[in-house]
Amino acid sequence: MNVLILGNGKDGTAAHLHRALSEAGATVDYLDTRFFPTKLRMCWEPSAGVGYLTLPGGRRMNLEDIHSVFWRTLGEIYVPDLEDPHQQRVAYNDGMSMLRSLIQLCPARWINSWDAYQFHKEKPRQLTRAQQLGVTIPATAIGNDPQAVIEFVQWRERVIFKPVYGGAHTQLVSPAHLEPERLNSVLSLAPVTLQEYIPGTNIRSYVIGDAVYSAEIRSPSVDFREDKEAQLIPVEVPEMIREQSVAITRAFMMEWTAIDWRLTPRGEYYFLEANPSPMFVHFENQTDYPITRDLVNLLMQ
């Protein structure tokens, strides 16, 4: 059984899953896009509906022989520097077009899919879809209108801000952030996501198929990802939250995910986000939840 991991062995999560799949009897290779097109070869014949990959080590496989692909990270392709910038752009665009096409044409089971990956890149849609499912979300404003930002903050006791796309930690809004010249300058560069700060506890729920594994994350930080000493305590979430977790996963076109919730002292759960390719090894080690086992089973079904 051929299984690919989109990513590379320098990533601890990818390496961990590579070992687990190999021990379970799968033939596992990395699909490392950094080697395309210099060492990783691809071919697709639309007229025949067939294609193949030749990996950097020389192993060649037909696309129909790939059983499943685990989406860990989609890296940049590597086009060597060319003297002509136009030719450089043409080569890069050609490579990315081929890569994007192959990901979507390969008949293997992708966990998670291209559609899930694209949906995750559009966080405003993600929050809107969650609310449409009846899931509670924090009061949120997303945009680059300075007046709208000021009005949103003025009506709330505490507000956090974070990137629209992701890639940086959450911070509390301070008076310095709202200084007119600074605010106008920042919002002229990029929009921002603002949310009402929800006091309470961080809960992370991993969903794999119909299984939901949840833990309380104890940390004094506004963004627990900054806290290397954060504690993970297994918890049972209400049945409604379990059902919402599965519903979110399916509505976001995923087969597995990590959902971040905020639990208030009054017992209310607020949805924050769902990640289509979360790290999980530390979570599993702290909680003893069988995440690796379930992912291996999912990829080898």
Side-chain angles (χ1 to χ4, degrees), residues 142-150 183 187 191 194:
I142 304 166
N144 70 329
D145 183 335
Q147 186 58 40
V149 167
I150 291 171
L183 185 62
L187 294 180
L194 298 166

Side-chain angles (χ1 to χ4, degrees), residues 30-32 35-36 38-41 54-59:
Y30 293 111
L31 180 58
D32 189 346
F35 291 123
F36 182 68
T38 55
K39 298 179 181 179
L40 173 64
R41 308 299 184 185
T54 302
L55 300 172
R59 184 163 123 78

